[in-house]
Amino acid sequence: MNLSTEDKRLLEELCKQHGVNPDKVVKLLDTVRDYEFKERRIGVYDALREILKSSTGNAP
């Protein structure tokens, strides 16, 4: 995901306020985008669930 410098700064600030890892948020957004234009979005929830379960990307 290509975020502008300002978008990255805002994402990091919001994630810090809410105790969320910005890398994990970017992974979630990338995954949703990957499934966005598929005719059938089978597997999107499983993919998102795996990202959320992963130990990498816990709050800093």
Side-chain angles (χ1 to χ4, degrees):
M1 169 172 262
N2 294 325
L3 297 174
S4 70
T5 303
E6 177 64 17
D7 289 341
K8 287 179 187 178
R9 185 196 63 74
L10 181 59
L11 177 63
E12 289 176 4
E13 182 180 318
L14 289 170
C15 287
K16 185 176 181 181
Q17 289 175 7
H18 295 281
V20 177
N21 185 306
D23 294 331
K24 190 174 270 195
V25 172
V26 170
K27 277 184 174 181
L28 290 167
L29 291 171
D30 282 340
T31 300
V32 169
R33 186 183 318 142
D34 288 345
Y35 281 86
E36 185 175 5
F37 296 109
K38 290 185 178 183
E39 190 171 315
R40 297 184 63 182
R41 294 173 40 121
I42 293 174
V44 67
Y45 293 117
D46 291 334
L48 295 174
R49 192 174 296 112
E50 286 303 312
I51 293 168
L52 291 172
K53 285 182 181 180
S54 70
S55 61
T56 58
N58 289 334

